[in-house]
Amino acid sequence: FQSLSFLSSKRFYTTTKMSKERVCIIGSGNWGSAVGKIVAENVLKNNDIFEREVRQWVFEEDFNGEKLTDVINRERENPKYLPGIKFTDNIRAMPSLVEASRGASVLIFVLPHQFVRGVCNEMKDHIAPNAKAISLIKGLEIKPEGVTLFSEEISRQLGINVAALSGANIADEVALERFCETTIGSRSNEDGELFFKLFNTSYFHVNVIRDYVGVELCGALKNVVAVGAGISDGLGYGSNTKAAIIRLGLMEMRKFGQTFFGTVEDTTFFESCGVADLITTCSGGRNRKVAEAFAKTGKPIDVLERQMLNGQKLQGTLTAQEVHQFLEARQMTKDFPLFDTVYRIIYENAPLESIVRDI
């Protein structure tokens, strides 16, 4: 697809609406907090387009005897999920999803995918009638009968256009303003330009393309490959082996996308959401890290999640299971040997050495 990157400072988002856009961020974990920092700062820079206040829905938790939302609003940081990173004073943490999303015209979804339907159902009667959304959810709902993209699920539930963002974006590095790129997939040029203004910074470079399907597929499937890379690391196999796993994984990601979603473009895999995110996730992401510990210690994945992820869950192992069920229903598991091998190691106690023997 034609790139829609808006890198010229001379180009401005135009609108016939008299009112400014009201932004709501749905989710506040590690990545949601890093995104909130970027969005709140860009809202201030583009005050002709956006209302000053950015509302962020925070699932209320106890933090050292206080409500987490109270701590965030007082300290201007999220000490549980992104400690040490300060926010601008225009971001407001809110425990009520309905209040956070009331009248919102720009919705940013950055929460675990299992909560999407419930969240949409709760907020659907409260958002602005002209709302548009972007999904930063790195996952797919894969069932034997088919694959659901979360941008399309949100669009169906809320009746609005939904774009997707994914890239080589480890949250802590983004929050520390270390340079990286990301990819936004948007069917609408106007929405793409709006989201460019909301996310692009000097250290967080955004490229906008039309292939939102490819953006989301890459964001989910790369986690399966990262589990394979982590197993290789846990076995001490070295850089050559991991490079081979990454290359084979990229080929299977491309094959999956083009087999089951004919619109996915080759060029998408060369965007940040593709090869760059795959390399990053296989080098430093949580899926790689926990899979390495799995190979070294033999502890179950759920135990390692509790010990290593501060209550958060892996996407790679769940996606591997869902992909397996989808492919098995079509008798195609052997067409994707890396995906199949990761599944068998995690869920069927296949030997760890299968990660090189069977791919």
Side-chain angles (χ1 to χ4, degrees), residues 4 6 184 186 188-197 208:
L4 302 174
F6 306 111
I184 290 176
S186 175
S188 162
N189 288 8
E190 185 179 42
D191 289 355
E193 190 166 352
L194 176 69
F195 289 126
F196 178 85
K197 289 195 169 293
V208 185

Side-chain angles (χ1 to χ4, degrees), residues 227-246 248 337-338 340-342 344-345 350-359:
V227 173
I231 293 168
S232 175
D233 285 345
L235 292 169
Y237 283 165
S239 299
N240 292 344
T241 303
K242 186 152 74 169
I245 289 171
I246 291 172
L248 292 167
L338 178 60
D340 183 54
T341 299
V342 169
R344 289 188 299 104
I345 290 172
L352 294 170
E353 295 77 12
S354 301
I355 199 60
V356 294
R357 191 184 65 202
D358 295 346
I359 62 174

Side-chain angles (χ1 to χ4, degrees), residues 11 24 44 59 106 112 127 136 158 183 219 224 253 291 294 303 322 328 333 339:
R11 190 168 184 184
C24 173
L44 295 177
F59 181 77
V106 178
I127 62 176
L136 280 64
L158 300 180
T183 312
V224 181
M253 289 165 57
F294 173 81
V303 172
E322 292 176 341
E328 189 175 46
T333 56
F339 290 171

Side-chain angles (χ1 to χ4, degrees), residues 101-286:
S101 63
R102 191 181 302 281
S105 59
V106 178
L107 306 168
I108 301 167
F109 285 84
V110 54
L111 75 169
H113 72 257
Q114 58 265 36
F115 301 118
V116 166
R117 287 189 176 85
V119 161
C120 287
N121 187 60
E122 188 173 347
M123 65 191 291
K124 64 183 178 182
D125 295 327
H126 305 284
I127 62 176
N130 64 327
K132 72 286 297 175
I134 187 166
S135 171
L136 280 64
I137 300 166
K138 290 197 174 181
L140 302 169
E141 182 177 74
I142 307 175
K143 296 182 177 179
E145 59 269 23
V147 179
T148 300
L149 304 175
F150 282 103
S151 67
E152 293 182 343
E153 180 63 16
I154 295 166
S155 179
R156 187 184 68 81
Q157 293 257 348
L158 300 180
I160 61 177
N161 284 339
V162 184
L165 181 152
S166 186
N169 309 138
I170 292 177
D172 291 345
E173 295 182 18
V174 173
L176 292 169
E177 302 188 3
R178 295 174 180 167
F179 177 83
C180 67
E181 300 174 305
T182 201
T183 312
I184 290 176
S186 175
R187 287 165 284 187
S188 162
N189 288 8
E190 185 179 42
D191 289 355
E193 190 166 352
L194 176 69
F195 289 126
F196 178 85
K197 289 195 169 293
L198 202 54
F199 287 96
N200 188 68
T201 73
S202 60
Y203 61 89
F204 192 68
H205 278 202
V206 173
N207 193 43
V208 185
I209 63 176
R210 296 188 191 276
D211 184 13
Y212 72 97
V213 174
V215 170
E216 286 187 82
L217 282 173
C218 286
L221 296 177
K222 53 95 179 181
N223 288 323
V224 181
V225 185
V227 173
I231 293 168
S232 175
D233 285 345
L235 292 169
Y237 283 165
S239 299
N240 292 344
T241 303
K242 186 152 74 169
I245 289 171
I246 291 172
R247 189 194 73 82
L248 292 167
L250 183 64
M251 296 298 290
E252 290 193 16
M253 289 165 57
R254 175 177 174 269
K255 183 176 182 179
F256 190 95
Q258 296 187 341
T259 300
F260 303 112
F261 296 85
T263 60
V264 174
E265 291 287 314
D266 268 344
T267 53
T268 301
F269 295 93
F270 294 96
E271 294 286 344
S272 181
C273 65
V275 64
D277 195 13
L278 180 61
I279 292 169
T280 295
T281 308
C282 290
S283 300
R286 70 179 66 165

